[in-house]
Amino acid sequence: MKMVQEGIRKGPWTEREDFKLNCFVGLFGDRRWDFIAKVSGLNRTGKSCRLRWVNYLHPGLKRGKMTLQEERLVLELHSKWGNRWSRIAHRLPGRTDNEIKNYWRTHMRKQAQEKKRGLSPSSSSSNSCLSSASNPTVNSLPFPKTGEESFYDTGGHDIIAVDSLSFPKTGEESFYDTGGPEIIASAEKQIEEEKAGENVYSMDDIWKDIALSEEDTIKPAYYSFSEGGSTFSHHALASPSWEYFLDSLWRMDEEVSKMFLPTSDQFFPCYEYGRASLTG
DNA sequence: AACCGTGGCAACCGCCACTAC
DNA sequence: GGTAGTGGCGGTTGCCACGGT
């Protein structure tokens, strides 16, 4: 039996909460969410913390519009796997299942509306592009006859291989691109491999991949403090709230502190900076 | 300027799977 | 083997910004 905890916060996260979560994930890793939720004093559930981290705070995440390649890949993977958003997300470095899910919903809604209105593919630039990109893939795949499929059907255009599609090079595309064709090719290769052996990555592997693939293209903003001989860097948040972080640490169970503080390389810069701040 | 519809996104909920005891 | 705790995933909801009227 689990009692519903009183005082559990819900709703949008504040910058201070983000900062605290970031710090505690840095200290304890991104696995023990319930523990992090407790010791951080966030008054959030572990689930909520995990979700916030995975969908928003993780340094490997990309922000911004999906590239055409990504859109194409989402369509293709969805046609293969259905609503396996997490699985699909694994093939799009820096994108979360939530993001892809949201994109898909929007996409499907657009498709449904166009279908409803019987619009021509030229009704909107982005949609027409998506339609032309999605049809070849989907139509060529063994798709179960569902209502969903009908969203793709824009009137039986000639089918071309997805690999042969060409997309206009735009500034935006290159800006957001995380590797472009290489990523797509890599993902498609992995799809083939999975077909053969179902080699499913663990989340650790995924994040490692992301870290590697994003190393040169994504430069997460970091705070970097260098004061009083101590250097501290952390993922950027709009307003660092050291008093909150430190306050939480001070309130941590003493035994818990003993368990983790001596072994955490990341803690000491935080600690030193905090102490320096407090003592002036 | 006010209202309305829509899209995009963040976050919650419920279910399931896994693991430790 | 049963149970509780926890994490992960997919579905859903609600808020907010923006554009059109």
Side-chain angles (χ1 to χ4, degrees):
Chain A
M1 261 316 202
K2 199 177 173 181
M3 297 288 287
V4 178
Q5 264 183 282
E6 286 183 21
I8 290 291
R9 270 183 57 77
K10 286 186 181 181
W13 284 65
T14 65
E15 290 172 1
R16 285 177 171 181
E17 285 178 313
D18 282 345
F19 188 76
K20 282 175 79 174
L21 180 58
N22 229 343
C23 286
F24 277 90
V25 170
L27 288 174
F28 303 122
D30 57 354
R31 291 286 174 186
R32 307 177 61 195
W33 294 113
D34 214 55
F35 174 79
I36 287 173
K38 283 185 180 108
V39 301
S40 65
L42 278 166
N43 288 329
R44 297 272 187 175
T45 64
K47 277 188 172 188
S48 181
C49 292
R50 175 189 163 272
L51 207 65
R52 184 61 177 173
W53 172 258
V54 167
N55 287 335
Y56 193 81
L57 294 176
H58 195 284
L61 292 180
K62 275 199 290 183
R63 320 299 300 176
K65 198 172 177 289
M66 299 258 268
T67 65
L68 290 173
Q69 281 95 344
E70 286 174 323
E71 289 175 352
R72 188 181 60 161
L73 190 55
V74 168
L75 295 171
E76 181 175 352
L77 294 177
H78 185 272
S79 70
K80 290 175 186 293
W81 296 333
N83 295 356
R84 303 289 301 280
W85 305 118
S86 178
R87 195 171 180 181
I88 293 171
H90 290 173
R91 294 286 175 265
L92 284 98
R95 300 295 185 187
T96 68
D97 55 351
N98 211 28
E99 200 173 359
I100 292 169
K101 191 165 54 182
N102 284 333
Y103 163 75
W104 182 257
R105 280 180 57 81
T106 303
H107 171 72
M108 295 304 280
R109 200 158 44 193
K110 279 181 190 171
Q111 294 277 334
Q113 283 173 358
E114 284 192 6
K115 179 93 177 169
K116 208 172 172 181
R117 294 186 208 132
L119 289 180
S120 67
S122 60
S123 59
S124 81
S125 56
S126 63
N127 285 350
S128 64
C129 185
L130 278 177
S131 298
S132 60
S134 60
N135 280 332
T137 306
V138 173
N139 287 334
S140 63
L141 287 162
F143 218 64
K145 283 286 174 189
T146 65
E148 198 175 86
E149 183 189 6
S150 66
F151 286 120
Y152 288 108
D153 185 7
T154 56
H157 297 103
D158 286 344
I159 308 305
I160 57 173
V162 69
D163 286 343
S164 67
L165 288 171
S166 62
F167 292 92
K169 289 285 175 194
T170 65
E172 184 179 75
E173 182 184 346
S174 60
F175 177 79
Y176 288 112
D177 202 347
T178 58
E182 291 81 7
I183 293 285
I184 307 298
S186 158
E188 285 168 353
K189 190 182 171 194
Q190 285 181 1
I191 292 166
E192 293 306 315
E193 286 171 357
E194 279 200 8
K195 271 191 211 164
E198 284 293 309
N199 58 328
V200 179
Y201 278 23
S202 70
M203 279 308 289
D204 285 341
D205 293 332
I206 299 304
W207 290 123
K208 276 180 204 164
D209 281 355
I210 292 172
L212 286 173
S213 66
E214 303 292 305
E215 216 163 38
D216 295 329
T217 54
I218 290 192
K219 305 290 182 196
Y222 280 81
Y223 282 123
S224 183
F225 300 101
S226 184
E227 287 184 26
S230 301
T231 302
F232 169 69
S233 62
H234 208 278
H235 308 309
L237 292 170
S239 62
S241 304
W242 276 105
E243 65 276 21
Y244 268 69
F245 173 53
L246 294 169
D247 191 46
S248 299
L249 285 177
W250 308 148
R251 283 189 276 108
M252 274 172 67
D253 183 277
E254 200 174 336
E255 289 307 307
V256 173
S257 304
K258 282 178 189 169
M259 279 171 59
F260 289 97
L261 298 186
T263 61
S264 173
D265 294 338
Q266 289 172 293
F267 174 74
F268 286 108
C270 304
Y271 175 82
E272 289 299 331
Y273 182 86
R275 203 173 58 169
S277 302
L278 289 175
T279 56

